[in-house]
Amino acid sequence: MYFLLFLIVLVVAGMIWFRVAPSDKQHWHVFITDTENADHIFGVTRVIEGSPDKLDAFNASFSSEARTEILAGAVQDGHISYVTRSKVWGFPDYTTVQLVDDQLRIFARLRFGRSDLGVNRARIDRILAALKG
């Protein structure tokens, strides 16, 4: 009985931690050096043709995603990082988008765990497909 109670307390504490763990802007608001698309076990990198208007459209679309907020940066800076939390557990995923010359570079990744199970790839590819419209 005590073991079950301990297990329940541990799960609840984990759920709370995932939702309130601080996000270090210096760690997550990074400069993106990748220049090609890549799928990773922990996330995804996408590089597309970019412009200030395309960055603005990406920001408008991404900011409207459920449970998403801007962590650092702004459209005017050409560099924005977001945190998106999963619905049930509140796991944070971090997405950084940056306008470099004529490229829009997007880097989406998980914080906790070893694999994001394709969640970041699906989110980014869905938004990019909608922007192509």
Side-chain angles (χ1 to χ4, degrees), residues 39-123:
D39 292 342
H40 313 284
I41 193 166
F42 57 83
V44 65
T45 302
R46 293 291 181 258
V47 179
I48 62 170
E49 185 178 318
S51 67
D53 288 343
K54 196 169 270 190
L55 175 61
D56 192 40
F58 181 91
N59 179 62
S61 182
F62 202 85
S63 293
S64 68
E65 287 285 300
R67 300 170 308 281
T68 296
E69 61 186 44
I70 293 177
L71 177 67
V75 171
Q76 302 87 319
D77 301 334
H79 188 196
I80 312 163
S81 291
Y82 311 85
V83 59
T84 303
R85 296 193 175 271
S86 64
K87 188 173 185 176
V88 176
W89 283 92
F91 287 116
D93 286 334
Y94 296 91
T95 302
T96 301
V97 61
Q98 182 176 12
L99 183 61
V100 178
D101 298 324
D102 62 345
Q103 291 183 329
L104 198 60
R105 298 178 182 174
I106 304 157
F107 180 40
R109 66 268 188 214
L110 59 76
R111 175 172 180 180
F112 297 108
R114 295 181 124 161
S115 171
D116 73 348
L117 304 174
V119 171
N120 284 296
R121 180 181 62 237
R123 180 184 305 122

Side-chain angles (χ1 to χ4, degrees), residues 4-50:
L4 182 60
L5 183 59
F6 173 75
L7 192 58
I8 291 170
V9 168
L10 191 63
V11 168
V12 170
M15 288 178 73
I16 292 170
W17 171 248
F18 294 133
R19 291 183 184 276
V20 301
S23 297
D24 182 0
K25 292 176 185 176
Q26 290 182 345
H27 182 78
W28 297 106
H29 188 57
V30 297
F31 185 79
I32 304 169
T33 58
D34 291 346
T35 58
E36 295 181 3
N37 291 342
D39 292 342
H40 313 284
I41 193 166
F42 57 83
V44 65
T45 302
R46 293 291 181 258
V47 179
I48 62 170
E49 185 178 318

